[in-house]
């Protein structure tokens, strides 16, 4: 947490911190406090009439079944995306970690989707799975699969899960690979001499030793699915059908959109903010003393 | 030179039209310059306009689709009513010159025009003539009533269109809003909201339920197949997948460009048992709103621009090129007289629908605040019924109830 | 327990590096063989081939009577202790030791018995519940040993097991390892680059250089009769002094003006042949000035080691070191006259570095 | 190891190849779509191989623009995206390297307070506070400017944290050696800390460049002029349709172009990027 | 060049750890002072206070005639060599050496001259363009030295500069450092926990323990007359054997049945006082069985070190080690009778561990 060697003084460090603090205050704390203020107001779309309503927006929020639905959607969505993207990435990483010819090329080919914008990823996936345009959707239909993400909430959820997973695999892959490479070779060799066959070796040695990486990625992935998937959901389903793919963040946006329910949207932001601060504290502890051996 | 910002949501050929209009206007005089900016979909554009207004950077002209009307007109001070604008600018302006079926939607109950109609359309039934022939149907006599449509769809399905007998784009527009007007039954009290923000939704009435029940039933074997809330599914018609599709008359350009088969359109079907059906359809599309808080000089330019676009020749050209409806009576008459519709009857279908009968309380239009969001709720409920989560009745009840909640909240915030 | 035999074993790595260039070696049952040599000479490679962690490019390795070339590490009945111990960081000490047995499907109580016993032998019973991180270096070392012991292997393999410990602990663990190996009677193959370890531990000392064996023998033998200049300078600290000389007759070498008698020298060398002469620092004796067979040594400075002193200086123009017990020689710079017992003079071929001894 | 590796290696090849296919297929399809005409796509008849319109479509999108939606040539939008991404990447590196230096190498009152003020912003992305942030930006008159696009997105702690983690791994002795060599805080920063942080800077650059380039909701709100649009929002605008044909082939060509620069950045800077991330422990 | 004086220097760390508990020390101009002691005894802390890297809690440090307590490290005219060298990894060897001079605004050609000269002295001229990463441990060490030399400081400070090197290199670099310091005539303060380094390098040896000085003296003095049991066992390898004894008269201690004469023993001790007796392994001599003053030593096993052998075993029920030149004693387990020169018997207070010598 602290260096043993350091400088002292007050002006210089404050000057160094100034740009960051200024930007943080102006573009983070000020708007955040605005959001808190807004969450106590009832306003029309154009902001021409305002009423202070105390906690009514919050009360509405917790009465709104749609909010709980979004909560559940978020939970389902995050769980699946995390599990899928982590396990697939782990599989790929374990394979790419073998000393095989061309491993480097495979690595490069696997990491680049990291660079694809979520919104673009969403477009790619809708393009594949749109019931009328999509080549794969047609393929499914010709196989007799009743695929209809426009109407079937499960299909839609599956689609956004796949798109979000696709986008996240490369990031997880990268870290798993690094994690694997940081496991001392001699530990693996010791296990070989101890007679552990590859499968058992993986589950008893490699996987436990990866747990710091896995845990770190879990946290990062949760944040990813919470926030960064906005673009995917917006382009793929727009939260539909009948709210089946509306996540918490998406709901914040869509409720506030067009100024229709800014107060409610702000109240949701505040709730989310609290959740995120809790997660941040958790993350902080984790970074300070990671799950490590 | 005074710059006039114009945010719009038009794409494709219509986007060209916008750009050309602005260019022509700019070339026609030296004082004003209209700068059009495409802002994405209708909801995105409305959203951007609202956000910009709140931030004090609204454009002068904002194109808002018909469902945004309620939201816009509630905001006194946020918008500048067109009739006021024209009067203050001293521009010649006669509200009676415009087609009432169109302007009715954008006027107060007293008949004051609030926004300038721009691109208007209505919903028609597009059908694939080749498919009809293949299924042994008469391609020149498309079905008129819903039962006939269902029959035709079954035959089409049997003839190989097994993924989709008929469908529609714009789920709520087709199945609630147009459906109500066309059958002369109310969606809400207070003349569907035209007479006040305290309107109460009531479209969970038997005919709506019956229609939705039919769709749900037919969805099961894909005689009907849902195609989404917007017009994303329109490709299903042009590709030949769905031989019958209810969607906007503005679909015309797309069909003309992409359908590799013989096609036509017809008025929307109706249930014969409904008294007075078919009544008249309502419009879709968008109008141009003038945002509040601008300088008089700028308003003057906007008014000039409106005069410019209302000119008869320009209207004729707009109509024949874009497929959108003419907004002045004179323009309609002129096109009709030219015999244009003989070749292109599908362009007249929506006008005939709109003017089919004198509008009633139930068919003049509708005006709800937050209709954009309410439509999403309605869509959700329709989707819930179609995928079997709810019975049609329960779905419509929920749609009404949740919609009313939104209306009541809107009512509280709307400045009166 | 078993003997280990290597027959002309070679290893060429994937990239073409020839790490081991043909090594034959026999370790008798219960023997303690130490491989020593400079970094990169192929010690680890050889050991890892015995362990089965590297494939054998050519040649045969057998453990007991079995040729093990194609047998996986787990079936070779060996145990290995790694330089960094390679303990499983996420397992307790107990589990570290039990892991190998569990993989073999050994019954639970048998495992328990054997782990407890090993822990007792190594005096690490109180540590059984700890994680490796919570142990000191020496304790980790013991756990690594424990992990090797519980499997009751035929052969122990060690790859520099002590090099991560500090000097004091190293001495202590060295003694323990030796005791343990004796007590268990297991055959051991031990890699180190520390020559003190090599000398003290081995029954059989193998000095390697550049993928080849330079000398195999008892440690005292290697020390007293190094087979080559390489071995001579590698074993012994401070290292043997090497001087230029010429053959001056049978059993006689000339070193500048002076003349040295050599007991162990080939007879067939032509007079005047250039050779290298090796003198160990501790074999140097002080002589009276100018006596026959004495060499002049110019002392530059003296290092005090406590029990002994090192005299650094020049002899015949080359750096030279002499070691003497403290107080036996006056500790001051200046010229000394020295002599060496003919038994302790080593002569090497100038080119090949081979010992020119009677064979 | 004396283990049969052949089976394992074969499985690895198969799985990795499947992986690469999964990863690449959507993009291949996008590429294919960008080489056909709109009708083929809209009618769902897209084949799996490229069509004849590659040059036509890309030429149009790059230099002319779509006819029906965003009329700006994509080249111009790419420039906007590039400026925005660079501004975000460089701006973020600038402010966070300074603040991390202050937090790690100085002890002063409020140090922990400053740290927490910054740290709390770690995970709350702009999406959640987007409307009030928009208001702030417009109050500051930064709509339709590069500052408006970039600066609010810089306000988070990720960079500071990354640098902090890295600085903690710089041995104290280097600071001490520098002090003995007569280097003060500024010299130490310039001569030692910055050169040592190159890989971290590179990693952060890659992350932030991609983050900036891929921004979607924010530019959608803060740009009102077509000339300020970024390429990602252009795609979104291209695929919506109001009564008109979606020019999918152009949207897909734009998608390809939108992917190209960030993918290039990742692939070209892969080494540094991976090293930077791993060295500083995520 | 300057003398360094520490007057009752104390250091209490922020958390309350009292790392240095009052040390006074004087290093003459050009002297080589080595601080030695176990880990955590405060050696580095003391050195770092001299360097100016830690504040001084109380006491004074002066370099030359200046009290430097309040002066920054760069102005103290010192140079420091760190354990891990602390080379700037991103700079070439040249720039590493030039950096300090540049910061002082030394003219370019002067810098060049001095860097080149230092490189010549250290024989690292061919390395000037390399980065530290491309250097071996020994080369890095030399660069670190070079960085210190170019500044021409009055005082060299070393914090375990050799502990990252392997044994061979350590010996070599040790000699080099000493030569260099002599040649430059710079005052040196050197921290190590390696007693061989401490013995060989120092003019003045300071043994520390727990933040205090245990003994200051010439290395031979410290070796021969350790001021405490701590010093006695810390200096010397293998360490001094410690046995329990009692006073049996003036200059006489009893060790079980046997009796030992001691030359250096306080006269005023009551008969029967329990004491500890220290015998260095190399001071043990073989005696004939049962002779007067002989002790029975049960040898268990022998370690062969080449020039010498270590006999491990038990004496009076305690572990005991004897060192003897190879071949002087038959290398076999069993009972030996030993004796020790009365000059070489050390007696320590049982409680305080202080030497009970005549003062
Ligand atoms: N996996 C490998 N691939 C290619 N070359 C290797 C590999 N492992 C070792 N080598 C090379 O083989 C040679 C012998 O290496 P080895 O590890 O056996 O040396 P060593 O004697 O154990 O050295 P050290 O004392 O440094 O451990 C070296 O030149 C080394 O670079
Ligand atoms: N910055 C610090 N803050 C608090 N305590 C410290 C600090 N640095 C050292 N100490 C403590 O001061 C004592 C002396 O430390 P010092 O580093 O001087 O020991 P040392 O003799 O150099 O040991 P070593 O041989 O391990 O380097 C130790 O108990 C150590 O834990
Ligand atoms: Mg090795
Ligand atoms: Mg220290």
């Amino acid at each position: 947490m602290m260096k043993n060697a350091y400088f002292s003084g007050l002006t210089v460090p404050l000057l160094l911190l100034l740009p960051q603090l200024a930007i943080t205050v102006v573009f983070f704390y000020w708007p955040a406090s605005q959001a808190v203020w807004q969450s106590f107001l009832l306003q029309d779309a154009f902001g021409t009439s305002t009423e202070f309503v105390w906690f009514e927006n919050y009360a509405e929020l917790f009465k709104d079944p749609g909010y709980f639905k979004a909560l559940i959607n978020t939970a389902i969505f995050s769980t699946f995306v995390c599990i899928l993207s982590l396990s697939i990435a782990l599989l790929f990483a374990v394979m790419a970690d073998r000393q095989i010819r061309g491993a480097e090329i495979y690595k490069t080919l696997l990491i680049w989707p990291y660079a694809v914008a979520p919104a673009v990823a969403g477009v790619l996936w809708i393009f594949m799975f749109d019931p009328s345009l999509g080549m794969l959707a047609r393929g499914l239909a010709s196989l007799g699969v009743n695929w209809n993400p426009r109407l079937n909430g499960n299909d839609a959820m599956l689609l956004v899960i796949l798109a979000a997973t696709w986008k996240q695999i490369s990031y997880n892959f990268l870290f798993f690979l690094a994690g694997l490479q940081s496991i001392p070779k001699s530990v693996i060799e010791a296990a070989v001499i101890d007679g552990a066959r590859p499968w058992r070796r993986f589950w008893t040695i490699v996987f436990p030793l990866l747990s710091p990486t896995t845990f770190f990625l879990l946290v990062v992935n949760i944040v990813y699915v919470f926030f960064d998937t906005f673009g995917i959901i917006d382009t793929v389903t727009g939260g539909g059908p009948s709210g089946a793919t509306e996540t918490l963040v998406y709901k914040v946006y869509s409720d506030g959109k067009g100024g229709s329910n800014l107060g409610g949207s702000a109240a949701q932001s505040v709730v989310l903010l609290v959740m995120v601060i809790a997660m941040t504290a958790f993350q902080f502890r984790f970074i300070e003393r990671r799950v490590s051996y | 030179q005074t710059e006039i910002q114009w945010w719009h949501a038009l794409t494709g050929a219509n986007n060209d039209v916008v750009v050309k209009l602005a260019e022509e206007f700019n070339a026609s005089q030296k004082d004003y310059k209209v700068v059009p900016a495409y802002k994405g979909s209708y909801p995105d554009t409305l959203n951007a306009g609202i956000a910009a207004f709140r931030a004090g950077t609204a454009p002068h002209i904002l194109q808002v689709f018909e469902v945004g009307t309620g939201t816009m007109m509630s905001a006194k001070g946020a918008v500048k009513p067109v009739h006021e604008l024209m009067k203050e600018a001293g521009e010649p302006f006669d509200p009676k010159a415009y087609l009432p079926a169109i302007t009715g939607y954008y006027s107060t109950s007293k008949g004051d025009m609030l926004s300038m109609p721009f691109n208007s359309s209505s919903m028609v039934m597009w059908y694939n003539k080749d498919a009809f022939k293949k299924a042994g149907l008469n391609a020149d006599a498309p079905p008129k009533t819903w039962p006939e449509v269902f029959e035709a769809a079954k035959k089409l399905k049997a003839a190989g269109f097994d993924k989709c007998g008929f469908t529609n784009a714009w789920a709520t527009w087709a199945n609630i809003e147009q459906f109500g007007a066309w059958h002369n039954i109310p969606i809400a009290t207070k003349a569907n909201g035209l007479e006040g923000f305290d309107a109460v939704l009531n479209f969970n009435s038997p005919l709506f339920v019956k229609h939705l029940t039919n769709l749900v039933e037919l969805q099961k074997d894909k005689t009907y197949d849902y195609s989404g809330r917007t017009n994303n599914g329109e490709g299903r018609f042009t590709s030949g997948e769905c031989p019958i599709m209810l969607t906007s008359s503005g679909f015309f350009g797309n069909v003309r460009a992409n359908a590799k088969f013989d096609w036509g359109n017809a008025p929307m079907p109706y249930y014969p048992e409904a008294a007075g059906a078919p009544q008249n359809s309502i419009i879709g599309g968008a109008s141009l709103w003038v945002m509040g808080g601008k300088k008089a000089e700028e308003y003057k330019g906007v008014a000039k621009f409106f005069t410019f676009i209302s000119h008869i020749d320009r209207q004729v050209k707009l109509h024949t090129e874009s497929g959108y409806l003419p907004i002045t009576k004179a323009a309609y008459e002129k096109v009709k007289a030219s015999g244009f519709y003989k070749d292109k009857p599908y362009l007249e279908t929506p006008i005939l629908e709109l003017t089919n009968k004198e509008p009633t309380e139930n068919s003049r239009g509708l005006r709800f605040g937050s209709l954009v969001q309410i439509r999403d709720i309605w869509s959700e409920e329709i989707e819930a019924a179609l995928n079997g989560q709810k019975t049609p009745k329960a779905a419509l009840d929920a749609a009404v109830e949740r919609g009313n909640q939104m209306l009541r909240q809107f009512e509280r915030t709307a400045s009166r | 327990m078993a003997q280990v035999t290597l027959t002309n074993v070679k290893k060429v790595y994937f990239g073409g590096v020839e790490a081991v260039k043909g090594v034959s070696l026999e370790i008798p049952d219960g023997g303690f063989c130490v491989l020593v040599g400079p970094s990169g000479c192929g010690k680890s490679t050889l050991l890892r081939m015995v362990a089965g962690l590297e494939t054998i490019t050519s040649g045969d390795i057998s453990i007991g009577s079995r040729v093990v070339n194609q047998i996986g590490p787990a079936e070779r009945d060996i145990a290995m202790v790694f330089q960094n111990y390679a303990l499983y960081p996420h397992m307790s000490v107990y589990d570290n030791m039990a892991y190998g047995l569990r993989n073999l499907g050994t019954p639970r109580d048998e495992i328990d018995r054997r782990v407890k016993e090993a822990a007792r032998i190594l005096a690490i019973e109180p540590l059984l519940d700890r994680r490796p991180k919570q142990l000191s270096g020496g304790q980790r070392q013991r756990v690594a040993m424990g992990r090797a012991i519980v499997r009751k292997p035929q052969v122990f393999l060690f790859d520099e097991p002590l090099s991560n410990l500090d000097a004091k602990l190293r001495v202590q663990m060295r003694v323990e390892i030796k005791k343990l190996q004796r007590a268990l009677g297991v055959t051991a193959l031990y890699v180190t680059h520390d020559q003190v370890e090599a000398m003290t531990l081995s029954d059989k000392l193998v000095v390697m250089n550049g993928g080849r064996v330079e000398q195999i023998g008892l440690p005292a033998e290697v020390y007293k009769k190094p087979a080559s200049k390489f071995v001579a300078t590698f074993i012994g600290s401070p290292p043997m002094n090497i001087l230029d000389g010429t053959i001056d007759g049978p059993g006689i070498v000339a070193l500048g003006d002076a003349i040295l008698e050599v007991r162990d020298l080939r007879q067939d060398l032509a007079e005047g042949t250039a050779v290298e002469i090796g003198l160990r620092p501790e074999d140097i004796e002080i002589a009276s000035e100018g006596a026959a067979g004495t060499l002049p040594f110019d002392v530059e400075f003296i290092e005090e080691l406590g029990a002994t002193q090192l005299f650094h200086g020049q002899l015949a123009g080359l750096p030279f070191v002499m070691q003497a017990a403290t107080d036996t020689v006056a500790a001051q710079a200046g010229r000394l006259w020295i002599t060496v017992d003919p038994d302790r003079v080593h002569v090497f071929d100038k080119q090949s570095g081979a010992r020119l001894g009677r064979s | 190891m004396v283990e049969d590796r052949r089976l394992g290696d074969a499985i690895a090849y198969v799985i990795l190849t499947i992986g690469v296919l999964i990863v690449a297929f959507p993009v291949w399809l996008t590429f294919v779509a960008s080489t056909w005409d709109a009708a083929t796509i809209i009618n769902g008849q897209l084949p799996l191989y490229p069509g004849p319109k590659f040059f036509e479509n890309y030429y149009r999108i790059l230099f002319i623009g779509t006819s029906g939606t965003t009329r700006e040539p994509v080249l111009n939008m790419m420039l906007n995206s590039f400026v925005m991404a660079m501004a975000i990447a460089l701006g973020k590196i600038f402010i966070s390297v300074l603040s991390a230096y202050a937090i790690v190498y100085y002890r002063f009152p409020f140090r922990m307070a400053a740290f927490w003020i910054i740290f709390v912003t770690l995970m709350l992305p702009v999406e959640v506070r987007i409307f009030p942030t928009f208001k702030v930006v417009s109050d500051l008159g930064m709509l339709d400017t590069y500052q408006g696009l970039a600066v609010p997105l810089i306000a988070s702690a990720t960079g500071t944290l990354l640098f902090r983690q890295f600085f903690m791994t710089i041995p104290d002795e280097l600071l001490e050696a520098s002090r003995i060599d007569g280097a003060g805080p500024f010299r130490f920063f310039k001569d030692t800390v910055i050169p040592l942080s190159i890989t971290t800077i590179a990693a952060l650059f890659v992350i932030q460049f991609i983050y900036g380039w891929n921004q979607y909701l924010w530019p959608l709100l803060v740009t009102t002029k077509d000339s300020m649009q970024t390429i990602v929002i252009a795609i979104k605008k291209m695929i919506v349709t109001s009564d008109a044909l979606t020019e999918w082939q152009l949207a897909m060509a734009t998608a390809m172009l939108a992917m190209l620069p960030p993918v290039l950045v990742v692939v070209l800077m892969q080494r540094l990027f991976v090293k930077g991330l791993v060295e500083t422990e995520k």
Side-chain angles (χ1 to χ4, degrees), chain B residues 197-215:
Chain B
F197 287 129
D198 50 350
V200 179
L201 299 173
N202 56 8
F203 58 82
N204 46 349
S205 56
L207 196 61
F208 285 102
V209 176
K210 174 176 176 182
H211 181 56
L212 186 56
T213 309
N214 285 336
L215 294 185

Side-chain angles (χ1 to χ4, degrees), chain D residues 155-172:
Chain D
S156 90
T158 43
T160 314
L161 211 75
L162 197 71
F163 279 117
R164 177 182 166 272
Q165 295 296 102
F166 175 72
F167 291 169
M168 296 303 283
T169 68
I170 296 180
D172 286 0

Side-chain angles (χ1 to χ4, degrees), chain C residues 19-20 36-45 207-212 230:
Chain C
V20 174
V36 72
S39 187
C41 72
K43 307 178 295 289
S44 296
T45 305
V207 184
M208 287 186 69
N209 188 23
R212 280 182 220 285
F230 173 81

Side-chain angles (χ1 to χ4, degrees), chain A residues 90-279:
Chain A
L90 180 58
L91 178 69
F92 291 164
V94 168
M95 294 301 151
D97 190 41
R98 293 178 71 97
Q99 322 262 290
I100 55 173
R101 252 172 247 251
E104 282 306 314
I105 298 170
Y106 278 114
K107 285 175 202 169
T108 306
L109 287 177
L110 284 170
I111 67 166
W112 62 264
Y114 170 68
V116 177
V120 174
V123 172
L124 306 193
W125 280 74
I126 194 70
F127 188 70
M128 286 192 295
F129 284 103
D130 181 87
S132 58
L133 288 174
M135 164 175 297
L136 295 187
R138 281 164 189 278
L140 286 176
S142 65
L143 291 175
V145 180
N146 187 3
W147 168 257
N148 194 354
R150 280 200 189 124
L151 203 52
N152 184 323
N154 293 337
D155 287 0
M157 183 56 102
L158 185 63
L159 186 55
V160 288
I161 285 173
L162 288 179
T165 302
W166 179 82
K167 169 85 184 75
Q168 190 63 3
I169 286 176
S170 50
Y171 184 85
N172 296 344
F173 172 77
L174 230 143
F175 279 99
F176 272 132
L177 203 59
L180 284 171
Q181 279 161 1
S182 69
I183 296 179
K185 237 184 115 198
S186 58
V187 171
I188 306 292
E189 289 177 347
V192 171
I193 288 178
D194 268 344
R197 305 208 160 275
W199 185 250
R200 187 170 156 78
R201 207 151 71 217
F202 179 80
W203 287 113
T204 54
I205 307 289
V206 176
F207 188 69
L209 289 185
L210 273 180
S211 60
T213 310
T214 313
F215 188 66
F216 162 79
L217 282 177
L218 196 64
V219 174
V220 171
N221 277 268
I222 288 173
V223 174
Y224 163 79
V225 282
F226 260 60
F227 301 114
D228 293 348
T229 51
F230 176 88
I232 292 180
I233 293 179
D234 193 41
T235 45
V236 175
T237 61
S242 65
T245 54
E246 192 165 61
T247 59
L248 290 172
V249 174
Y250 196 80
K251 196 166 164 58
V252 169
Y253 171 73
S254 69
D255 283 7
K257 195 171 63 172
S260 63
N261 185 8
L262 276 177
S265 164
Q268 292 177 41
S269 295
V270 172
V271 173
L272 208 57
L273 181 83
V274 171
M275 288 164 75
V276 160
I277 286 176
M279 278 204 283

Side-chain angles (χ1 to χ4, degrees), chain A residues 65-101:
Chain A
Y67 190 68
F68 291 99
K69 188 163 176 194
L71 205 72
I72 290 166
N73 285 340
T74 309
I76 293 173
F77 182 62
S78 341
T79 310
F80 276 95
V81 173
C82 285
I83 290 176
L84 274 179
S85 65
L86 285 172
S87 51
I88 294 174
L90 180 58
L91 178 69
F92 291 164
V94 168
M95 294 301 151
D97 190 41
R98 293 178 71 97
Q99 322 262 290
I100 55 173
R101 252 172 247 251

